[in-house]
Amino acid sequence: MSCSTCAHFDPHPAAVEAAFPGLSSLSSAYAAVKAADGLCSRHERYVAASSDCTMYSSASTCTRQS
Amino acid sequence: MQIVEPSSPHAAQGVRPSPIGVRRAALLRNEDWLSSFLGLALILVAASVFAAGGSIKWLAVAPQKWSHASDVLQQLRLNGVRYAALFAVWALLLGAAAAALGLGAVKFWRAFAPVFLVTAAIYFLGLWDQAAHYNLEPPLVALALGLLFSNSFGVPRWLDPGLRVELYIKVGIVLLGASLPLTLLAWAGPVAILQAAIVSLITFGVIYAVATRLGLDRRLAATLGTGGAVCGVSGAIAIGGAVGAKKQDISVAISLVVVWAIVMIFVLPLAARALGLSTGVAGAWIGTSEFADAAGLAAAQTYGGYAGNVAGISGHPDAAVTAFTLMKVIGRDMWIGVWAFVLSLIAATRWERTGIESRSGAGEIWKRFPKFVVGFLLASLLVTWFASGYAYGEYKTSVLPGLVAPLQALRTWAFTFAFLSIGLTTRVRELVAVGARPFLAFTAGAAVNVLLGLFLSTRVFGAFWSGLGQ
């Protein structure tokens, strides 16, 4: 399963701009170059949505559990 | 695979939207497409009004030269309604874009009102007949004022929705397309691509080599390299995401790009002025050596303002912005998807593992393609086609003042919103500490970039860029 549906993955532009001070000064998290990349809270990395890893945790499972 | 954001209502309800719905939502939440729609809509309306025998000149109001404060009051008395109408149109269009991005139209309007007022004041100041004498070029004044305010007093958070640098700059670039004939893009584009490719590859190579020699992580080296060689902060986040860089490393790259880009806004026009470069050559140099579109346009527009106002600066005022745009947008920005694709492949196959596997394919090239370039090219195509129905003399006496000039005035407004926003969003205290090694690697690349850019713009392609716009 790819990062795009992982509970640890946050691609929201507002979250990305908040995580990277200075980003909105000369660019934007709403821009096409960002694609669907997002923040991985598990690895503390910024990753492409199509990536995957062994620590995947389904976002929909988390939503149902909560 | 289509992406559903975990925070979206669809994801929360476990509902999968249709592919068409997802594509439409993606279009509306993408700043590049939105800025293209806005810019092209303005051009279409302007062309339609012109074809019907009118002009949007009344709406595209701009300050005129003045000597005394009473002249300004007189202009405001005469044109107050026009400025109010212009504000309403910008607020409506940009507010719609802000709403589509999820920023909230009302929040945007509340923040945009002071942005518009300060921009108007800066625009007026730039038209003072002593402005050039005191170096009060609007881009530099907007930037300096914003920087001073945000770093001295702080900017209230309610202003943030109105400080959308990229939205403003991209709308301005699409409008810029309306004043560049497609034939010019076809003639100068290949030279811009060649010059930019030489500088981008060498600059990236220098930053990457110095960074890895200094023991920095390869992903940080690549993020720094594309930030310095391709498209600044946008390059840093595109490559950072493509190779899966650490969050902290991307923050380091962003901080370095922002600081250097702002230094260059002030240094490059002054250096070009000291060297007596023509506007076209200076624009090409700035396009090769600045890191970000908004920062480079501030420098290029400043330099264009020197033509006719500063002794020894030759060339058409618009040639600096034109050469910059060709070099930066066509020569560098367009290729970010290719850089991302190639580096993600190298990262996945050659670099140390991070526990995250990259699955990027060739589709990455289009996904990350800066779509506002499509709007820019369509704008050029549209106005070139429209103008082809007029003889050259009629174009100069009718189309230029009735259609192109008002669009240029709107472009100047959009750019000045952006320059002010750069200053107001750059909060030095919020930038992360970068450390000596990333600083050295990036600075080595910046130095090579500036010197090589100067050599290519003046020695190798100097005659070409001097002739631009003549």
Side-chain angles (χ1 to χ4, degrees):
Chain A
M1 298 297 283
S2 73
C3 293
S4 63
T5 53
C6 177
H8 303 300
F9 181 73
D10 186 357
H12 199 281
V16 172
E17 290 193 352
F20 298 130
L23 169 56
S24 59
S25 300
L26 290 174
S27 183
S28 167
Y30 298 87
V33 294
K34 174 188 167 284
D37 300 346
L39 303 157
C40 170
S41 57
R42 190 71 183 76
H43 291 88
E44 288 298 305
R45 287 182 182 270
Y46 182 64
V47 299
S50 56
S51 307
D52 61 48
C53 84
T54 55
M55 294 176 183
Y56 176 85
S57 174
S58 169
S60 56
T61 305
C62 289
T63 306
R64 277 196 294 275
Q65 284 170 348
S66 63
Chain B
M1 178 176 174
Q2 302 294 347
I3 307 305
V4 180
E5 293 181 9
S7 55
S8 74
H10 291 304
Q13 293 160 18
V15 177
R16 203 162 189 78
S18 71
I20 293 172
V22 171
R23 276 199 292 272
R24 193 177 298 150
L27 275 179
L28 288 176
R29 298 203 71 170
N30 182 311
E31 210 168 50
D32 291 49
W33 282 125
L34 284 170
S35 51
S36 296
F37 296 151
L38 290 192
L40 290 171
L42 283 168
I43 294 166
L44 280 172
V45 168
S48 303
V49 172
F50 184 81
S55 168
I56 62 159
K57 268 191 291 192
W58 185 87
L59 178 71
V61 59
Q64 304 300 310
K65 279 268 185 199
W66 57 276
S67 304
H68 305 286
S70 58
D71 301 339
V72 175
L73 293 175
Q74 177 69 4
Q75 285 191 40
L76 289 174
R77 258 197 302 273
L78 283 173
N79 299 320
V81 178
R82 296 172 66 192
Y83 283 104
L86 180 65
F87 167 73
V89 168
W90 274 129
L92 188 73
L93 292 175
L94 295 168
L101 292 174
L103 300 170
V106 175
K107 285 181 182 171
F108 176 82
W109 287 330
R110 193 171 60 152
F112 180 66
V115 169
F116 183 88
L117 284 175
V118 178
T119 297
I122 291 166
Y123 206 161
F124 266 100
L125 185 64
L127 271 294
W128 181 30
D129 61 7
Q130 298 298 309
H133 178 71
Y134 293 105
N135 286 325
L136 295 175
E137 289 79 17
L140 298 188
V141 172
L143 187 73
L145 194 68
L147 280 172
L148 189 70
F149 193 84
S150 63
N151 291 287
S152 304
F153 309 106
V155 174
R157 289 292 169 191
W158 61 265
L159 262 181
D160 284 349
L163 307 177
R164 299 306 312 177
V165 175
E166 282 285 283
L167 178 63
Y168 300 144
I169 215 75
K170 285 170 183 169
V171 170
I173 290 174
V174 174
L175 290 172
L176 174 65
S179 53
L180 300 182
L182 206 59
T183 46
L184 174 68
L185 300 186
W187 171 69
V191 177
I193 290 171
L194 176 63
Q195 180 172 330
I198 294 168
V199 177
S200 293
L201 289 168
I202 292 176
T203 302
F204 178 86
V206 169
I207 296 176
Y208 186 83
V210 175
T212 49
R213 287 280 173 91
L214 290 172
L216 294 177
D217 175 70
R218 290 178 193 278
R219 287 174 174 80
L220 170 58
T223 305
L224 287 172
T226 41
V230 188
C231 54
V233 175
S234 296
I237 59 161
I239 300 311
V243 303
K246 289 177 191 162
K247 278 160 61 177
Q248 177 66 15
D249 288 350
I250 294 176
S251 293
V252 165
I254 289 172
S255 295
L256 280 167
V257 171
V258 168
V259 169
W260 267 116
I262 287 176
V263 169
M264 293 289 189
I265 293 175
F266 293 96
V267 169
L268 287 176
L270 286 177
R273 181 173 167 167
L275 293 168
L277 301 184
S278 69
T279 49
V281 171
W285 183 29
I286 295 166
T288 318
S289 302
E290 247 298 1
F291 307 110
D293 289 1
L297 281 163
Q301 190 170 306
T302 296
Y303 202 76
Y306 292 159
N309 291 310
V310 174
I313 306 299
S314 61
H316 192 279
D318 253 4
V321 167
T322 301
F324 169 83
T325 307
L326 286 164
M327 188 65 70
K328 184 70 173 63
V329 175
I330 305 291
R332 293 165 67 190
D333 293 355
M334 275 204 335
W335 308 99
I336 188 60
V338 177
W339 282 91
F341 173 57
V342 171
L343 286 169
S344 69
L345 275 184
I346 295 172
T349 55
R350 306 285 298 273
W351 294 349
E352 62 275 21
R353 297 299 170 93
T354 62
I356 300 171
E357 298 296 326
S358 170
R359 305 289 178 204
S360 298
E364 195 80 8
I365 295 171
W366 173 246
K367 271 186 203 162
R368 295 187 192 274
F369 184 86
K371 315 294 189 302
F372 71 93
V373 178
V374 175
F376 168 76
L377 295 174
L378 281 176
S380 172
L381 178 69
L382 192 66
V383 175
T384 304
W385 170 77
F386 187 83
S388 66
Y390 295 84
Y392 183 69
E394 202 178 358
Y395 175 81
K396 294 285 271 188
T397 57
S398 174
V399 180
L400 210 53
L403 174 62
V404 178
L407 291 171
Q408 286 174 329
L410 293 179
R411 178 190 90 200
T412 304
W413 280 101
F415 280 169
T416 314
F417 298 149
F419 303 149
L420 177 64
S421 300
I422 295 174
L424 289 172
T425 50
T426 304
R427 294 143 195 173
V428 176
R429 277 189 300 269
E430 292 179 7
L431 297 176
V432 296
V434 297
R437 289 181 299 163
F439 177 80
L440 282 174
F442 193 86
T443 304
V448 168
N449 185 316
V450 166
L451 295 174
L452 186 59
L454 178 63
F455 175 72
L456 291 174
S457 302
T458 56
R459 302 290 173 190
V460 181
F461 301 109
F464 181 84
W465 295 116
S466 278
L468 197 73
Q470 287 178 3

